[in-house]
Every structure is written in structure tokens, then in C-alpha cells.
């Protein structure tokens, strides 16, 4: 699986700087940056500020708020004149290099504060946010200076499949990203006037963390890969791959809601994924949401499924739109029935399907 990290940040910065360096003789302060209220100069400084801020969040392991610092640009050697346009680009290159280095040295389990939408992001999330800032604001500056800008399609797809899981993919990743950030039009889609990216949700448990599976990870899992996770022997189990395929289908149809998607159960002690757990979709009109799970055989019999089910069910029942969490299992799957019972579910009925009758369970808040 192609990871999202320092290489992508460096690629985005190099592409942006190469273009903007062709126009350093222009007056960036006088030119407005595309549809923004900012000047091209201020927008370039903003790129540098975001890159160093993201590096600071990860390096400082900030968990409750932004690290309270900001970047300012010094003047030239005589201390009187502000840095010129070339100087700004050098700062963007430097802050990009600092973020890239931080990403490469940050363990995958580290989460740091970012407000949207679940108040944290991992290294892939910060990489994707950094790349988005570079691509979107380079577009703004290029538009203001009359330059043509076309970043690598792979970078755009990397961003979309990690922090825009709610956006239906299009045939042109760059045009889709511009549309998703309120900077362009796509046939058949209403203009975007307000937008936020969406980092994956991570829910802590006692021995596990439940880590939301992004469309990028789901694509790899459904194709037989590891989804970017380090698995225990024999993992992932087929049910996790099937669930990833369902997530991917919802994403491609534009109906995926990431908080009601699939989670990898990751063991805290060694960072290894032991199974998958998730919802069959968003809550229905009656507030019912169905949950399913599986474990790699090497991780069974140790209480991981029960712990994960209790945690994810409690998270769901804390949402206003949820009245009950449901689960089904086959009559001969006594191990799964024991897990469901230990998690506090009550058997309500046998549920007929096209193939067989299943036992149905429910948990209410």
C-alpha cells in the first residue's frame, strides 16, 4: 500500500515551488490569491505557517490544543526590508522539509490534536492536510498570478482517499479536490460553499485502539493487502476484507459516512491489528445501527472481540441519532454468541435471511 508521509509532502512542495519560482519578480502583495480575500504573498506565508504548525503538533505530541507558536518571516540582512518572494519560497521549502522529517520519525500510533472532525489526527492525516494546504493554496496563488498549475494526480488521490472519505471520487482527482475545497465545479454536483476535511476516527479501549479504516486502506484490504496495518499471524480475516469492500463501494457511490464505517482493532502493546469491527451503515430512521466483527485466528480467545464490541457499542449509543445497536450471528456460532452476551447484548429474535435463520441481538443505552 502506498503510504502517505514525508515523500508526498516533499513532492507537493517541490511541485509548488517550481511553479511559483517562475514568478518571483511579480508583486505578490498586490495580487489577490484566486477567490480568497488574501494576497498572494500572505497566502504563501500561510502555506509555510501550516506546514510548521503540523510539524509542531506531531513533534510536540500535542493532544488538547494547538502548540502556541507561529512563524514570522525575517527581513533581509540589513534588517530593514521584508523577505522577498524568493525568501518566502525558501521558507516553504524549509517548513516542508521539517514536516517531512517529523512524519518519518513519528510512530504510527501517535495522534496529535486537530479540531476537525474528531479532535485528532495521525501522521497520515497530518501529511494529507499538509499536502492539501500546499496544493489548494498554490492553486490560489497561481490563479492570482495568471499561472497554470496542475499538481500530480497521485497526490490528489492520496489526499482524497485519506481526509475526504465523504467525497465521491471523480475521474479527475485534481478537479475533484478543487471542487471538494470550494474551488471549482464538477458536472452533476452542486457547488461547495462550506467544507471540512475528515481525519479518521480513533476510539481508545483498554488494550486496543479502534482505528477508522480510510478509503485508501479499504482499497488495499479489499485487494488482498494489509491496509497499512501490521497484522498478527493469519490476519486480516476474510470478513475484514469483505467489510472493506463494502466500505469502498459506499465511498465510490458517495454515501460513505466514515464514523459509521470499519475499524481495525489494534493492540496497544505491539501495534498489531488483531481484527476488524464496524457498522453495516449509518443508523436507520428508527436509530438502529448494526455492528459486525471478526478476529484473526491467532488473536481469538483473549477477550479482544468483547472489548472492541463494548467500546464501539458504547461510542454509538452516545450519539443522539442512535437508539439501539444490533448484531446477528449464526445459530451454530457459539463463540460469537458468547462475545455478544459478554458485551451486554440481549437476544431478541431469530432473523430470517435468504440463506438461513440467524440469532438477533440488541443493546440499548
Amino acid at each position: 500500500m502506498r503510504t502517505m508521509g514525508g515523500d508526498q509532502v516533499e513532492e507537493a512542495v517541490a511541485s509548488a515551488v517550481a511553479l511559483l519560482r517562475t514568478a518571483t519578480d511579480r508583486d505578490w502583495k498586490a495580487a489577490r490569491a484566486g477567490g480568497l480575500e488574501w494576497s498572494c504573498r500572505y497566502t504563501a506565508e500561510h502555506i509555510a505557517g501550516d506546514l510548521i504548525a503540523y510539524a509542531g503538533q506531531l513533534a510536540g505530541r500535542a493532544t488538547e490544543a494547538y502548540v502556541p507558536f507561529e512563524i514570522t518571516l525575517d527581513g533581509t540582512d540589513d534588517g530593514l526590508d521584508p523577505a522577498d518572494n524568493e525568501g518566502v519560497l525558501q521558507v516553504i521549502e524549509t517548513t516542508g522539509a521539517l514536516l517531512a522529517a517529523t512524519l518519518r520519525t513519528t510512530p504510527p500510533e501517535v495522534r496529535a490534536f486537530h479540531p476537525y472532525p474528531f479532535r485528532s489526527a495521525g501522521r497520515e492525516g497530518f501529511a494529507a492536510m499538509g499536502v492539501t494546504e500546499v496544493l489548494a493554496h498554490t492553486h490560489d496563488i497561481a490563479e492570482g498570478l495568471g499561472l497554470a498549475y496542475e499538481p500530480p494526480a497521485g497526490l490528489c488521490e492520496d489526499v482524497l482517499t485519506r481526509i475526504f472519505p465523504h467525497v465521491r471520487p471523480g475521474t479527475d482527482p485534481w478537479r475533484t479536490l478543487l471542487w471538494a475545497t470550494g474551488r471549482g465545479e464538477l458536472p452533476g454536483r452542486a457547488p461547495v460553499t462550506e467544507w471540512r476535511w475528515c481525519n479518521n476516527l480513533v476510539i481508545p479501549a483498554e488494550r486496543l485502539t479502534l482505528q477508522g479504516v480510510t478509503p485508501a486502506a479499504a482499497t488495499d484490504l479489499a485487494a488482498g493487502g494489509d491496509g497499512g496495518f501490521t497484522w498478527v499471524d493469519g490476519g486480516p480475516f476474510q470478513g475484514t476484507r469483505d467489510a472493506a469492500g463494502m466500505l469502498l463501494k459506499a465511498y465510490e457511490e458517495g454515501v460513505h459516512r466514515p464514523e459509521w464505517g470499519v475499524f481495525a482493532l489494534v493492540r496497544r502493546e505491539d501495534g498489531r491489528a488483531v481484527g476488524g469491527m464496524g457498522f453495516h451503515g449509518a443508523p436507520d430512521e428508527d436509530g438502529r445501527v448494526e455492528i459486525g466483527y471478526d478476529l484473526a485466528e491467532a488473536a481469538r480467545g483473549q477477550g479482544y472481540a468483547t472489548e472492541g464490541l463494548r467500546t464501539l457499542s458504547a461510542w454509538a449509543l452516545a450519539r443522539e441519532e442512535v437508539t439501539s445497536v444490533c448484531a446477528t450471528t449464526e445459530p451454530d456460532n457459539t463463540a460469537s454468541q458468547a462475545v455478544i452476551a459478554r458485551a451486554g447484548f440481549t437476544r431478541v429474535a431469530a432473523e430470517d435471511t435468504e440463506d438461513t435463520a440467524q440469532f438477533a441481538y440488541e443493546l440499548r443505552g
Side-chain angles (χ1 to χ4, degrees), residues 14-80:
S15 172
V17 169
L19 174 70
L20 298 180
R21 197 157 264 149
T22 66
T24 52
D25 59 337
R26 306 275 295 278
D27 186 351
W28 290 12
K29 291 183 178 180
R32 179 173 166 177
L36 303 180
E37 297 296 328
W38 302 341
S39 70
C40 290
R41 167 63 182 240
Y42 181 84
T43 305
E45 294 179 3
H46 176 80
I47 293 174
D50 281 336
L51 293 174
I52 194 63
Y54 294 159
Q57 291 301 99
L58 283 175
R61 305 292 195 264
T63 59
E64 299 298 329
Y66 286 114
V67 177
F69 79 102
E70 63 180 6
I71 189 172
T72 58
L73 274 67
D74 289 336
T76 52
D77 290 341
D78 61 11
L80 298 176

Side-chain angles (χ1 to χ4, degrees), residues 241-363:
R241 297 196 187 281
D242 293 341
M246 295 170 59
L247 185 159
L248 186 58
K249 181 179 179 182
Y251 169 66
E252 291 172 343
E253 294 175 351
V255 297
H256 175 49
R257 290 179 61 185
E259 67 270 36
W260 303 109
V262 180
F263 298 81
L265 306 180
V266 179
R267 205 158 52 190
R268 287 179 181 268
E269 66 180 26
D270 58 5
R272 291 185 174 271
V274 299
M277 184 173 290
F279 302 103
H280 291 195
D284 64 18
E285 59 185 12
D286 296 320
R288 297 174 70 254
V289 63
E290 186 173 354
I291 202 168
Y293 58 89
D294 69 11
L295 289 181
E297 291 187 10
R300 295 176 185 176
Q302 301 175 57
Y304 293 133
T306 300
E307 180 180 330
L309 186 56
R310 285 173 176 162
T311 300
L312 194 56
S313 298
W315 181 89
L317 288 170
R319 314 274 78 75
E320 290 185 1
E321 65 266 44
V322 176
T323 59
S324 64
V325 180
C326 307
T328 61
T329 184
E330 297 177 358
D332 60 353
N333 193 343
T334 56
S336 183
Q337 292 163 27
V339 168
I340 293 172
R342 286 194 296 268
F345 285 69
T346 301
R347 183 176 166 185
V348 291
E351 184 173 290
D352 291 329
T353 69
E354 294 180 359
D355 301 318
T356 184
Q358 293 187 321
F359 290 165
Y361 297 82
E362 183 180 67
L363 179 66

Side-chain angles (χ1 to χ4, degrees), residues 67-258:
V67 177
F69 79 102
E70 63 180 6
I71 189 172
T72 58
L73 274 67
D74 289 336
T76 52
D77 290 341
D78 61 11
L80 298 176
D81 298 326
D84 59 13
N85 294 334
E86 174 58 30
V88 177
L89 295 182
Q90 291 175 4
V91 175
I92 291 175
E93 290 175 318
T94 301
T95 54
L98 290 171
L99 176 56
T102 304
L103 292 167
R104 293 188 177 110
T105 56
T106 300
E109 66 272 14
V110 169
R111 305 283 294 187
F113 173 81
H114 190 279
Y116 306 121
F118 304 117
R119 300 187 66 77
S120 75
R123 64 185 186 186
E124 280 211 336
F126 277 104
M129 290 188 289
V131 170
T132 301
E133 294 286 358
V134 173
L135 301 188
H137 289 313
T138 300
H139 162 80
D140 299 331
I141 298 170
E143 191 173 70
L145 298 176
L147 304 174
Y149 178 55
E150 184 83 21
L155 278 179
C156 303
E157 187 171 1
D158 284 337
V159 165
L160 288 167
T161 55
R162 285 170 174 83
I163 59 171
F164 291 91
H166 51 293
V167 172
R168 176 166 55 90
T171 57
D172 186 328
W174 175 226
R175 301 298 177 275
T176 302
L177 182 59
L178 287 176
W179 173 82
T181 57
R183 288 172 167 82
E185 297 181 355
L186 281 181
R189 304 196 199 188
V192 172
T193 56
E194 295 184 3
W195 63 274
R196 297 286 189 198
W197 49 49
C198 183
N199 281 290
N200 69 321
L201 172 63
V202 173
I203 305 173
E206 183 180 353
R207 296 174 298 162
L208 305 169
T209 56
L210 282 65
Q211 301 186 14
V213 173
T214 64
T219 300
D220 190 62
L221 284 167
D226 58 18
F229 299 97
T230 302
W231 292 85
V232 296
D233 292 343
F237 204 65
Q238 186 58 44
T240 297
R241 297 196 187 281
D242 293 341
M246 295 170 59
L247 185 159
L248 186 58
K249 181 179 179 182
Y251 169 66
E252 291 172 343
E253 294 175 351
V255 297
H256 175 49
R257 290 179 61 185

